[in-house]
Amino acid sequence: MNAPAVQRPDPADTHLSPEAQSNQPRQLVLLGAGMAHLKLLHTLARKPLPEVQVTLVAEETHVVHPAMGPGLVAGDYQQEDCTIPLEPLVKRAGIRWLQQQPVSLDAGQQTLALDDGSTQHYEWLSINAAPAHHNEQLEQTIPGAGKFGLCVYPLDTWAQRWQGVSELAAKKALRVAVIGDQVAALELALAVQQRLPSCAVTVLMLPSPAGTPLATAGITRLLQQLKAQRITVLHDTALQIDASAVHLGCGAQLACDVPLLALQHLPHAWLAASGLALNADGQATTDGYLRSSSHPQVWVANGDLDSPLRHLQAVARGARLPATTGQPGAGFQLLFGGSQQAVMAWGGYSASGRAWHWLKDWWDRRQLRRYTM
């Protein structure tokens, strides 16, 4: 049954209209099984939202903890060591779970169309879908990427694809190009080098208008790790990929046997015609409350560094929204550094070494247990 549309009050005022205060449950839809939503499910298991019907829309049954993804590639973990099964988490939270993919989003009508032909109405929608690459979309972004590239996302199916590369690398030295648009690509390159030490690894960092979530000191330290491990970093665009090379914007060709695609800023196809205000990347723009700048019923999680968790809890309880004041990259972060090392970044300070690797491993395993116990 469709819930009535929400009136648009003052940005921080979330008191409901009389229609919304009826006996019908209010509809909160969580689109995607990103870490921000898993944190919310963990909270809902302890603090349910009264009179709110929460629905998770996510096709996957298991989620690889993103912070442990590089360690999975490097061989530090088996997939079961860093995977979160969704079913127990959903049951503890006491919510609905639709194992479907979104086909389209109509922000004006507040409806989500799913791949089984059904539609889901929402009063509030939170978007936290992990990156997912599709061949048709990849071909439009970088010609040849869909045919010759190897997609890193989604991480839960990555292990099967990566096994084939590892077997090939055991027979001959490979030239691997990691093509990405965020610092995660740098971590991935370090992981590939650790797992395949005989291979030549190059990172092609594509320009990204949305910037990077790390402080400058953290980026600098991470680049030092790549240099120490003889990994080349190129800042350029990829015009085309063929069977033996990546064609660069500068006119050169990067010889490559295995192009790994780690594009985190590639927008989901259903965003384009959603009616939400989008930036140059095709991603939804947000205000100071992490809501869509055009449709305040929609929240958009900013990766794992900042999520709409507090805001969703506040709006569902009719409370006033807390403003978002933290800057991405300003908090304490631990990044994969390769060769049993990790990089610590905290504001303008950074460090690296084996002690940080131990701390990262302990912290990541501790976080994983929150969702699996």
Side-chain angles (χ1 to χ4, degrees):
M1 182 177 295
N2 290 353
V6 175
Q7 295 180 357
R8 298 190 179 186
D10 177 76
D13 186 3
T14 62
H15 294 291
L16 301 174
S17 64
E19 293 82 3
Q21 294 178 3
S22 68
N23 293 327
Q24 299 176 1
R26 293 167 286 170
Q27 300 291 325
L28 167 59
V29 174
L30 309 178
L31 178 52
M35 291 307 297
H37 284 170
L38 298 196
K39 292 175 185 176
L40 179 57
L41 296 187
H42 178 70
T43 300
L44 288 174
R46 296 178 290 110
K47 298 180 180 180
L49 295 175
E51 300 179 1
V52 175
Q53 174 67 69
V54 181
T55 301
L56 173 67
V57 177
E59 183 184 40
E60 59 266 45
T61 59
H62 294 73
V63 175
V64 172
H65 195 317
M68 302 176 77
L72 175 63
V73 174
D76 292 340
Y77 307 117
Q78 298 299 314
Q79 186 151 352
E80 58 268 22
D81 297 330
C82 50
T83 298
I84 303 168
L86 282 184
E87 185 174 2
L89 197 57
V90 168
K91 286 184 176 179
R92 289 197 297 270
I95 69 168
R96 294 173 65 219
W97 180 18
L98 301 179
Q99 289 183 252
Q100 307 295 333
Q101 284 187 333
V103 174
S104 63
L105 168 63
D106 188 331
Q109 295 298 316
Q110 297 179 218
T111 57
L112 187 67
L114 306 179
D115 61 357
D116 66 348
S118 66
T119 59
Q120 174 65 46
H121 180 84
Y122 64 84
E123 190 165 3
W124 306 297
L125 172 69
S126 176
I127 301 174
N128 184 216
H133 297 162
H134 303 284
N135 284 351
E136 182 178 348
Q137 189 179 22
L138 286 171
E139 285 292 333
Q140 294 175 353
T141 305
I142 306 173
K147 181 178 181 180
F148 299 105
L150 186 64
C151 298
V152 175
Y153 305 114
L155 283 172
D156 56 300
T157 60
W158 161 251
Q160 299 175 358
R161 299 188 294 272
W162 179 235
Q163 182 62 32
V165 177
S166 300
E167 292 173 357
L168 183 60
K171 300 177 183 178
K172 67 173 184 177
L174 299 175
R175 299 164 298 183
V176 180
V178 178
I179 304 171
D181 53 11
Q182 277 202 9
V183 174
L186 303 180
E187 292 182 280
L188 176 62
L190 288 163
V192 171
Q193 185 67 62
Q194 178 177 317
R195 183 70 173 272
L196 309 176
S198 64
C199 294
V201 181
T202 301
V203 183
L204 177 59
M205 290 294 292
L206 306 181
S208 172
T212 174
L214 281 181
T216 302
I219 297 173
T220 301
R221 181 74 61 167
L222 204 58
L223 290 173
Q224 290 173 355
Q225 293 292 111
L226 281 110
K227 183 177 181 181
Q229 297 180 42
R230 299 182 179 180
I231 299 174
T232 302
V233 180
L234 303 177
H235 295 271
D236 206 335
T237 56
L239 300 181
Q240 183 180 346
I241 299 175
D242 59 32
S244 60
V246 180
H247 299 257
L248 306 179
C250 66
Q253 295 185 26
L254 173 62
C256 175
D257 301 305
V258 182
L260 299 182
L261 301 169
L263 303 171
Q264 291 199 345
H265 280 139
L266 197 63
H268 292 274
W270 42 263
L271 271 176
S274 65
L276 297 176
L278 306 178
N279 62 14
D281 283 336
Q283 304 284 10
T285 58
T286 58
D287 61 14
Y289 301 96
L290 297 176
R291 302 178 303 181
S292 163
S293 57
S294 59
H295 295 77
Q297 307 96 336
V298 179
W299 272 259
V300 182
N302 183 16
D304 299 326
L305 302 181
D306 203 356
S307 76
L309 175 61
R310 295 179 302 143
H311 306 78
L312 288 169
Q313 291 172 313
V315 72
R317 293 189 173 99
R320 196 171 177 82
L321 289 177
T324 302
T325 57
Q327 294 298 319
F332 184 81
Q333 296 179 355
L334 291 169
L335 307 166
F336 183 86
S339 299
Q340 301 299 308
Q341 297 188 60
V343 169
M344 183 279 294
W346 188 10
Y349 179 74
S350 68
S352 61
R354 291 182 178 271
W356 296 114
H357 171 77
W358 176 87
L359 181 61
K360 174 175 169 55
D361 177 68
W362 172 83
W363 177 256
D364 290 343
R365 290 180 185 272
R366 180 175 181 269
Q367 293 299 306
L368 189 75
R369 286 195 295 271
R370 294 179 59 191
Y371 308 113
T372 57
M373 297 181 65

